Amino acid sequence: MSRTQLTIGLFGFGCVGNGLYEVLQKTPGFQANIKRICVKNKTKKRPIDAAYFTFDKYDILNDDSINTIVELIDNADEAFEIVKAAMQRGKAVVTANKKMIAEHLSELLDLQRQFNVPLLYEAACCASIPIIRNLEEYYDNDLLESIEGIVNGSTNYILTKTATENCTYQAALLDAQQKGYAESNPILDTGGFDAKYKLLILIAHAFGVVLEPDAIFNLGIDVLGELELKYACEKGLKIKLVAHAEKTNDGKINAFVLPKFIHRTDHLFNVDDVFNGIKTKSFFSDVQFFSGKGAGAYPTASAVLSDISALSYQYRYEYKKRNLTDLMAAEKEVLLKVLLSYEVNVGQNFEPYFEEINETYLNKKEGYIIGTLSLANMRAIKASFEKTSFVLFELNKGGTPIDGFKKQQVSELIFERV
Ligand SMILES: NC(=O)c1ccc[n+]([C@@H]2O[C@H](COP(=O)([O-])OP(=O)(O)OC[C@H]3O[C@@H](n4cnc5c(N)ncnc54)[C@H](OP(=O)(O)O)[C@@H]3O)[C@@H](O)[C@H]2O)c1
């Protein structure tokens, strides 16, 4: 197939934009060149010739010689305006902006169709892990059963540090911020929103369902307390923030983002620090596992570069599974075995929310319940009681525990009782 020569207009020259520029310099012979770069701050010093830069987006959008837009800015609303205007002008687009994609996926699909232009976004999900392309091409059938993974590097870094260096959540968060892994306002990451945006995109390619962000329940790691961290430590488990989506037996999708106890037999157990890991499970191939760097200038730029290269071969996502199903499983039907921890002064009897209780624990300050409840009841508890947190053990699928947990006796817990 012949390659199209790409002339690129780049939006954003921060961590990823600068990384892409450097990666392109180190890839001689690549048939793409950056013609213009649009940035925001007029006083910032730039590491390359000032002639490249503009502060007016229309210098790029209205330049007919530019056939490809690479959008790498840090504002989702402004990014959508840029991407939409570019597609309306018939320009192909590559973006890494998961929040923008998740909030506008339906409109972006319409724009692709209406203006017959491709939009690629591999870097938006797990940076260097080529998961979207795999879901599009390799799992191009109806037999994918589930997808589950660690898709947010900064929360994984914080959890790894709290578990291995015995430091507090606040100290680990500060360290992540100082290293540039977490934003100064980290709630998008720590609250599980970033993971939810990525999961929404993965679901569109894995199962063909285009969801609104509010349809996916997300809990982050910001409310995790000492009790569950200690529980994990005593049981030899790790807590990871996991994004999960699966197809139920009746063809519906259930999906959520939750902290989860991970057993050492699980592939995700050794995905530490800022790494990401994704497990796919399909009917014939069973479990497959992808891991790699989920953030950073070069890993993210490498995914952007791969999308640019794919565009030069006229590649586009086909969303082949679109409309195969559009049903989300009712949250009251999704049963989860969890550890709920709470502060004693919350003053609520949580037991009626549970279908089954395996263990309870209480001291003067806090308590926990291990048992099975529905996703709907979890949502209800979270909506009413801020100082509660949940860590998932497993989905309850008729009472057969997954292998890793068969031998875990919850009553073995050796907390000091008061
Ligand atoms: N960093 C990662 O590891 C990573 C990984 C995966 C995906 N992403 C995604 O990649 C995108 C870029 O992230 P980043 O880390 O590179 O951000 P960043 O370092 O904060 O850089 C943002 C860039 O966007 C520019 N900008 C902001 N608003 C603009 C506007 N309206 N018009 C033109 N330029 C504008 C800024 O201009 P100034 O230079 O003038 O300030 C800056 O150059 C985000 O969507 C992010 O979610 C990042």
Side-chain angles (χ1 to χ4, degrees):
M1 183 182 281
S2 68
R3 293 187 79 162
T4 308
Q5 176 71 38
L6 302 181
T7 303
I8 295 171
L10 174 62
F11 283 85
F13 203 68
C15 173
V16 186
N18 200 352
L20 176 68
Y21 180 84
E22 289 180 18
V23 163
L24 273 169
Q25 300 308 303
K26 291 177 180 158
T27 320
F30 196 79
Q31 292 195 316
N33 73 292
I34 296 176
K35 182 172 180 193
R36 227 54 221 283
I37 304 169
C38 181
V39 284
K40 194 163 194 177
N41 186 334
K42 293 187 176 162
T43 58
K44 214 186 249 182
K45 264 187 109 49
R46 308 288 170 184
I48 59 170
D49 190 347
Y52 272 111
F53 292 96
T54 175
F55 305 96
D56 180 355
K57 63 183 175 185
Y58 293 106
D59 283 347
I60 289 179
L61 292 171
N62 290 339
D63 182 337
D64 290 337
S65 70
I66 290 176
N67 54 12
T68 306
I69 298 299
V70 178
E71 181 286 300
L72 299 172
I73 75 170
D74 55 349
N75 178 310
D77 296 334
E78 290 168 10
F80 180 63
E81 292 312 315
I82 291 164
V83 168
K84 185 173 159 186
M87 293 171 82
Q88 286 169 336
R89 287 163 173 76
K91 298 182 195 296
V93 177
V94 175
T95 175
N97 200 320
K98 52 263 175 176
K99 185 169 190 284
M100 185 273 291
I101 301 165
E103 286 175 344
H104 298 282
L105 188 51
S106 215
E107 289 158 277
L108 292 169
L109 288 173
D110 288 345
L111 284 164
Q112 288 177 70
R113 219 179 4 251
Q114 193 182 346
F115 295 95
N116 191 24
V117 280
L119 169 71
L120 302 183
Y121 40 79
E122 188 66 74
C125 277
C126 296
S128 71
I129 306 175
I131 186 66
I132 298 178
R133 207 84 69 79
N134 269 289
L135 291 173
E136 273 286 297
E137 307 304 328
Y138 185 83
Y139 297 102
D140 168 27
N141 53 56
D142 197 18
L143 301 172
L144 191 65
E145 294 174 346
S146 69
I147 176 158
E148 178 173 272
I150 296 167
V151 296
N152 180 273
S154 50
T155 48
N156 204 35
Y157 179 82
I158 292 166
L159 289 170
T160 304
K161 218 171 150 58
T162 49
T164 57
E165 295 176 28
N166 200 21
C167 70
T168 63
Y169 170 78
Q170 285 307 334
L173 172 61
L174 188 65
D175 183 62
Q177 286 170 323
Q178 283 164 351
K179 291 199 164 93
Y181 299 149
E183 306 286 330
S184 49
N185 176 5
I187 189 65
L188 275 187
D189 291 325
T190 59
F193 296 95
D194 177 82
K196 169 164 83 170
Y197 298 142
K198 292 168 175 173
L199 181 62
L200 185 151
I201 297 168
L202 292 172
I203 288 170
H205 293 276
F207 302 116
V209 185
V210 176
L211 298 170
E212 293 296 323
D214 282 349
I216 301 176
F217 181 71
N218 62 295
L219 274 188
I221 64 165
D222 48 341
V223 288
L224 287 180
E226 288 299 306
L227 209 57
E228 45 274 53
L229 294 172
K230 194 171 173 197
Y231 182 92
C233 182
E234 289 189 359
K235 297 290 180 193
L237 305 169
K238 288 183 181 173
I239 298 177
K240 303 282 187 189
L241 184 65
V242 164
H244 177 99
E246 70 172 51
K247 210 169 196 175
T248 62
N249 289 340
D250 50 0
K252 296 176 187 166
I253 303 300
N254 83 50
F256 49 78
V257 173
L258 284 174
K260 184 178 180 187
F261 291 117
I262 303 289
H263 191 266
R264 64 180 66 253
T265 55
D266 192 315
H267 288 91
L268 298 180
F269 189 84
N270 289 321
V271 178
D272 284 333
D273 296 316
V274 287
F275 279 80
N276 284 185
I278 292 268
K279 289 184 299 181
T280 54
K281 185 168 188 305
S282 67
F283 188 74
F284 291 118
S285 52
D286 205 4
V287 177
Q288 287 168 311
F289 176 58
F290 304 75
S291 79
K293 288 191 174 161
Y298 284 174
T300 312
S302 82
V304 174
L305 185 75
S306 176
D307 278 351
I308 295 171
S309 174
L311 280 181
S312 75
Y313 288 109
Q314 294 89 45
Y315 177 78
R316 59 177 57 205
Y317 301 142
E318 291 177 58
Y319 304 92
K320 299 183 190 92
K321 296 185 187 174
R322 183 99 204 264
N323 298 330
L324 277 186
T325 175
D326 59 359
L327 286 176
M328 284 291 280
E331 288 190 354
K332 63 181 182 351
E333 285 166 16
V334 180
L335 294 180
L336 307 165
K337 181 171 177 183
V338 298
L339 183 151
L340 157 66
S341 71
Y342 57 93
E343 283 188 10
V344 166
N345 61 14
V346 164
Q348 169 69 28
N349 175 15
F350 293 107
E351 295 189 5
Y353 288 93
F354 281 80
E355 307 275 323
E356 182 185 303
I357 290 184
N358 306 102
E359 177 168 326
T360 60
Y361 168 77
L362 192 61
N363 66 28
K364 283 180 190 151
K365 279 195 337 219
E366 56 201 351
Y368 70 67
I369 297 173
I370 293 175
T372 299
L373 85 177
S374 68
L375 190 52
N377 278 354
M378 184 188 281
R379 205 187 261 272
I381 291 174
K382 274 316 290 181
S384 306
F385 305 99
E386 222 177 275
K387 295 203 165 154
T388 52
S389 80
F390 289 91
V391 183
L392 176 69
F393 283 94
E394 60 189 325
L395 267 106
N396 190 325
K397 293 175 186 163
T400 314
I402 56 172
D403 282 351
F405 289 104
K406 269 182 191 156
K407 297 186 191 72
Q408 294 291 325
Q409 296 298 320
V410 284
S411 56
E412 278 171 11
L413 188 67
I414 52 167
F415 284 156
E416 240 177 65
R417 308 277 161 168
V418 289

